[in-house]
C-alpha cells in the first residue's frame, strides 16, 4: 500500500553491504561501490557476459595544443544489450576513462511503417585510481528549530559528529556550519579539517539546541552563499585558480523540512535554491551538489526530495529514521564525493535524418543552453542509464544498420586534469518485416520498470496527500503487476521493485 515507513523506503533505496562497527570510517579505502540511495533514477552497476573492446585514441588536428582530449575510435556497431569496455591502448599513452554505450528495445524493425523505439544510453565511470582525490568543501546546513526537538535533534547531532570526526576528511578538505531556526547564523566559516578544525566544528555541533520556527529557505540560501562568497576571496582557498575550480563542493541540508518561515511553498523554494546554486556554480567554475537528510517520521519528504533532485548536480535525498541509517547514508553520499573521477559531465544527442527524439526520461537532470543533459559529477565506477524514445519514419526500401541516434558524453577528467569525450552511434536494421522472437534487452527493461515504478510511487503519494488512498493503492498494484509481467521480472532490480 502507501506505507512510507523506513522499511518501505529501504525496499527501494537501501545500500546493501555497508556496515559500521563504531570505529573510524575510511571512506576512501573501505567503501563498497557507490549505489544511489533515495533516488530511483540512479542505478546499481550490472554485469554483462557479452563484452567488446573499444579503444580511445587521441583527437587529431583541430584540438588546441596543450588540451589533451580522448574520444572513442570508430568501431562496428555494438549489438543491442551488450557493453563495450574502454581499456588502455598499449600503443598509446592515453588512459581510457569514460564509457558510453547504446542499446535499444529491438534490433530490427520493418521499413514499411513508422515505429516508436525505446533506446538506452549507458554511462560508466572507471574505478578511481590510487592517485590523490580532489579536495572537498562541505557546508552543513543545520536545522535547530523547535520541530527538531527530541529524537530528531539527537539523530542529527550524531550525524554531524560522524561527519566531522569519522569520515576520513583530511587537512585539504574544509567544512562550514550554518545553523538556522527563525534566524540564520554562519556558525563556522569554511575551515580545514586539521585537528584544531575538527575540534572547533565538533564544539559547535555539541552546542546546537532547539530554537524557534523554521526558516528553511534562509538556511539553505545562506549555505550556498558560503560558496558564492568564497569565490571572491582567493585567500580563503590558498590554492591556485585551477585547483579552485577542481575542488568538489556540496551542501548538506539536515532538517525535517517543516518550513514555517521565509519561503514555504516547495516550488518557490526549489526555484530559489536552484537559482542560487546556478549562480554560485558559475562563479566557481564547477558544480555544487545538494544532499538533503530528512529526520523523523513526519519530515517533508516531497520538499527534501525536490530540493535534492532538482539541484541538477547529482544531489540525493536521504531519510534518517534511526541511528543505523546514519552510516549507510554517509557511505553513499561521502563515499561518492571522495571518489569523484569526472566533473561537469554532459550528454548530448543528435538524431539522424528523418528520426525524431520523442522523449528523454531525464526528470532528475537539468539541460544546458544547447539541450545537453547535465549529469554533474561522475563517481568511481558510477553507472547511469538514460532512456530515450525515438520516432522512426517508414523507409522506401529495406536497409541494414541504419544510424538513428548519435550521443556524445563530455566531462573533465579529474585524474588526468584534462577533458574527455566519448561518442556512440545507435544503428537499427530495417528489413521488409519485423523479425519475430528478437532477443529481449533485459537491462533496458529493468530501467523502464525502475522509472515507471518511481513515477507511479510519486503519483500515488500525491493521491494519498489529497485523501485518495484507494486510488493510490490501485496505482501501486498496477505498477506491481506490470513488473511481474515484464520480461525482466526475474532480474534482481525488477524483483526488488
Amino acid at each position: 500500500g502507501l506505507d512510507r515507513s523506513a522499511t518501505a523506503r529501504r525496499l527501494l533505496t537501501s545500500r546493501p553491504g555497508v556496515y559500521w562497527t563504531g570505529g573510524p570510517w575510511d571512506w576512501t579505502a573501505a567503501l563498497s561501490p557507490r549505489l544511489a540511495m533515495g533516488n530511483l533514477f540512479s542505478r546499481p552497476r550490472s554485469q554483462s557476459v557479452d563484452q567488446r573492446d573499444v579503444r580511445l585514441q587521441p583527437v587529431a588536428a583541430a584540438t588546441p595544443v596543450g588540451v589533451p582530449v580522448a574520444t572513442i575510435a570508430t568501431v562496428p556497431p555494438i549489438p543491442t544489450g551488450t557493453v563495450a569496455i574502454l581499456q588502455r591502448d598499449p600503443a598509446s599513452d592515453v588512459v581510457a576513462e569514460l564509457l558510453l554505450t547504446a542499446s535499444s528495445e529491438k534490433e530490427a524493425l520493418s521499413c514499411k511503417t513508422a515505429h516508436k523505439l525505446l533506446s538506452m544510453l549507458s554511462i560508466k565511470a572507471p574505478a578511481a585510481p590510487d592517485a590523490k582525490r580532489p579536495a572537498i568543501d562541505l557546508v552543513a546546513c543545520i536545522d535547530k528549530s523547535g520541530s527538531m526537538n527530541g529524537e530528531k535533534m539527537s539523530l542529527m547531532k550524531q550525524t554531524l559528529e560522524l561527519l566531522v570526526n569519522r569520515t576520513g576528511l583530511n587537512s585539504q578538505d574544509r567544512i562550514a556550519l550554518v545553523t538556522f531556526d527563525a534566524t540564520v547564523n554562519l556558525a563556522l566559516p569554511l575551515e580545514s579539517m586539521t585537528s584544531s578544525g575538527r575540534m572547533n566544528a565538533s564544539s559547535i555541533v555539541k552546542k546546537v539546541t532547539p530554537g524557534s520556527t523554521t526558516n528553511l529557505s534562509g538556511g539553505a540560501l545562506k549555505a550556498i552563499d558560503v560558496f558564492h562568497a568564497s569565490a571572491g576571496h582567493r585567500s580563503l582557498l590558498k590554492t591556485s585558480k585551477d585547483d579552485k575550480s577542481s575542488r568538489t563542493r556540496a551542501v548538506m541540508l539536515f532538517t525535517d523540512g517543516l518550513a514555517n518561515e521565509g519561503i514555504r511553498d516547495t516550488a518557490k523554494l526549489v526555484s530559489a535554491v536552484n537559482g542560487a546554486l546556478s549562480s554560485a556554480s558559475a562563479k566557481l567554475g564547477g558544480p555544487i551538489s545538494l544532499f538533503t537528510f530528512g529526520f523523523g517520521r513526519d519530515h517533508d519528504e516531497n520538499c527534501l526530495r525536490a530540493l535534492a533532485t532538482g539541484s541538477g548536480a547529482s544531489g540525493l535525498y536521504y531519510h534518517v529514521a534511526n541511528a543505523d541509517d546514519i552510516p549507510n547514508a554517509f557511505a553513499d553520499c561521502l563515499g561518492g564525493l571522495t571518489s569523484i573521477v569526472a566533473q561537469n559531465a554532459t550528454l548530448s544527442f543528435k538524431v539522424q535524418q528523418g528520426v525524431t527524439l520523442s522523449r528523454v526520461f531525464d526528470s532528475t537532470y537539468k539541460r544546458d543552453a544547447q539541450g545537453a543533459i547535465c549529469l554533474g559529477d561522475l563517481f568511481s565506477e558510477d553507472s547511469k542509464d538514460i532512456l530515450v524514445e525515438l520516432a522512426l519514419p517508414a523507409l522506401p526500401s529495406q536497409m541494414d544498420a541504419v544510424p538513428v541516434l548519435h550521443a556524445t558524453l563530455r566531462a573533465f577528467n579529474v585524474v588526468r586534469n584534462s577533458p574527455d569525450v566519448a561518442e556512440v552511434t545507435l544503428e537499427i536494421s530495417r528489413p521488409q518485416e519485423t523479425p519475430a522472437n528478437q532477443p529481449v534487452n533485459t537491462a533496458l527493461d529493468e530501467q523502464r520498470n525502475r522509472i515507471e515504478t518511481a513515477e507511479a510511487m510519486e503519483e500515488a503519494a500525491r493521491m494519498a496527500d489529497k485523501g485518495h488512498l484507494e486510488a493510490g493503492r490501485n496505482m501501486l498494484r498496477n505498477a506491481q503487476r506490470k513488473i511481474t509481467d515484464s520480461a525482466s521480472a526475474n532480474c534482481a532490480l525488477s524483483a526488488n521493485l
Side-chain angles (χ1 to χ4, degrees):
L2 289 174
D3 180 7
R4 287 194 257 174
S5 65
T7 301
R9 287 191 184 88
R10 287 194 188 106
L11 177 63
L12 292 175
T13 64
S14 63
R15 183 175 186 270
V18 179
Y19 304 95
W20 180 44
T21 60
W25 193 283
D26 184 355
W27 300 95
T28 58
L31 283 175
S32 57
R34 184 179 190 272
L35 171 63
M37 256 177 71
N39 183 346
L40 293 176
F41 292 88
S42 294
R43 69 172 174 88
R45 285 178 297 278
S46 60
Q47 299 294 326
S48 175
V49 177
D50 227 350
Q51 298 181 342
R52 296 180 61 184
D53 290 346
V54 178
R55 304 188 184 279
L56 287 177
Q57 295 181 349
V59 174
T63 304
V65 176
V67 185
V69 178
T71 186
I72 293 184
T74 302
V75 295
I78 300 169
T80 296
T82 65
V83 175
I85 302 299
L86 298 183
Q87 298 179 338
R88 186 183 182 91
D89 190 338
S92 171
D93 289 331
V94 177
V95 179
E97 291 293 341
L98 299 176
L99 166 65
L100 176 63
T101 60
S103 62
S104 57
E105 191 173 19
K106 300 288 185 181
E107 293 180 343
L109 293 168
S110 170
C111 66
K112 297 178 181 178
T113 59
H115 299 273
K116 293 285 189 181
L117 177 68
L118 188 62
S119 305
M120 180 170 71
L121 294 162
S122 300
I123 298 164
K124 177 68 178 289
D130 294 332
K132 180 181 176 182
R133 62 168 172 80
I136 298 175
D137 284 347
L138 300 176
V139 180
C141 188
I142 305 166
D143 182 353
K144 69 180 198 72
S145 63
S147 63
M148 288 291 290
N149 195 17
E151 183 184 8
K152 293 181 188 178
M153 180 62 68
S154 176
L155 279 173
M156 184 178 69
K157 293 177 80 167
Q158 289 181 56
T159 306
L160 290 166
E161 284 289 342
L162 180 62
L163 169 65
V164 171
N165 295 308
R166 297 187 177 183
T167 53
L169 300 178
N170 57 44
S171 60
Q172 299 301 311
D173 305 315
R174 300 182 303 165
I175 286 180
L177 302 177
V178 171
T179 62
F180 67 93
D181 53 359
T183 60
V184 179
N185 177 45
L186 177 57
L188 179 71
L190 282 170
E191 182 161 344
S192 298
M193 286 296 94
T194 60
S195 296
S196 61
R198 292 180 194 278
M199 290 179 62
N200 289 341
S202 184
S203 175
I204 292 170
V205 169
K206 285 183 173 66
K207 295 176 182 177
V208 173
T209 55
S212 56
T213 52
T214 309
N215 187 358
L216 177 57
S217 60
L221 294 174
K222 180 62 177 178
I224 299 168
D225 185 63
V226 171
F227 285 126
H228 196 281
S230 72
H233 297 80
R234 294 283 298 278
S235 60
L236 287 176
L237 290 171
K238 299 179 181 178
T239 58
S240 68
K241 180 179 179 181
D242 289 340
D243 182 62
K244 171 180 161 183
S245 63
S246 66
R247 295 178 74 89
T248 299
R249 300 178 180 87
V251 172
M252 294 182 172
L253 175 60
F254 302 93
T255 180
D256 57 10
L258 303 176
N260 49 28
E261 288 281 346
I263 304 174
R264 305 178 193 180
D265 179 75
T266 295
K268 293 179 180 178
L269 176 59
V270 171
S271 177
V273 168
N274 286 349
L277 284 170
S278 297
S279 177
S281 297
K283 193 170 183 180
L284 288 162
I288 301 171
S289 298
L290 174 61
F291 299 94
T292 59
F293 296 77
F295 294 85
R297 294 184 179 276
D298 61 340
H299 74 276
D300 190 340
E301 175 181 337
N302 292 334
C303 175
L304 298 184
R305 188 184 296 276
L307 283 169
T309 58
S311 64
S314 303
L316 293 172
Y317 151 79
Y318 303 88
H319 175 224
V320 183
N322 53 59
D324 292 338
D325 292 332
I326 298 172
N328 286 345
F330 272 131
D332 185 77
C333 177
L334 278 181
L337 291 176
T338 55
S339 59
I340 287 177
V341 294
Q343 293 186 305
N344 298 330
T346 62
L347 180 65
S348 58
F349 311 99
K350 183 179 180 181
V351 293
Q352 304 304 306
Q353 186 173 6
V355 178
T356 302
L357 188 61
S358 304
R359 183 184 178 190
V360 179
F361 300 78
D362 68 331
S363 62
T364 61
Y365 300 112
K366 289 185 177 180
R367 301 288 194 96
D368 64 16
Q370 288 72 45
I373 293 177
C374 299
L375 301 170
D377 295 334
L378 298 180
F379 307 100
S380 176
E381 298 185 285
D382 203 2
S383 295
K384 297 180 185 292
D385 287 316
I386 307 295
L387 296 187
V388 298
E389 184 181 73
L390 303 173
L392 308 184
L395 299 179
S397 60
Q398 67 179 36
M399 297 180 66
D400 293 328
V402 180
V404 293
L405 178 70
H406 184 83
T408 303
L409 174 66
R410 291 183 172 86
F412 184 83
N413 187 306
V414 172
V415 178
R416 291 211 317 275
N417 200 35
S418 64
D420 272 352
V421 178
E423 299 180 84
V424 68
T425 297
L426 176 66
E427 297 180 337
I428 300 295
S429 295
R430 301 297 301 274
Q432 286 292 326
E433 303 294 338
T434 299
N437 302 320
Q438 296 188 53
V440 176
N441 188 341
T442 54
L444 183 150
D445 194 63
E446 282 186 294
Q447 299 313 311
R448 172 169 48 199
N449 284 343
R450 174 177 56 82
I451 291 174
E452 290 180 350
T453 300
E455 292 174 344
M457 291 179 67
E458 292 294 332
E459 182 59 29
R462 283 191 287 269
M463 290 179 177
D465 291 339
K466 294 178 181 178
H468 307 309
L469 295 177
E470 190 57 34
R473 292 190 181 102
N474 287 335
M475 174 163 285
L476 293 181
R477 293 189 189 104
N478 291 335
Q480 187 177 40
R481 280 193 292 269
K482 192 170 183 179
I483 294 170
T484 302
D485 295 338
S486 69
S488 64
N490 294 325
C491 298
L493 178 57
S494 293
N496 286 335
L497 291 174

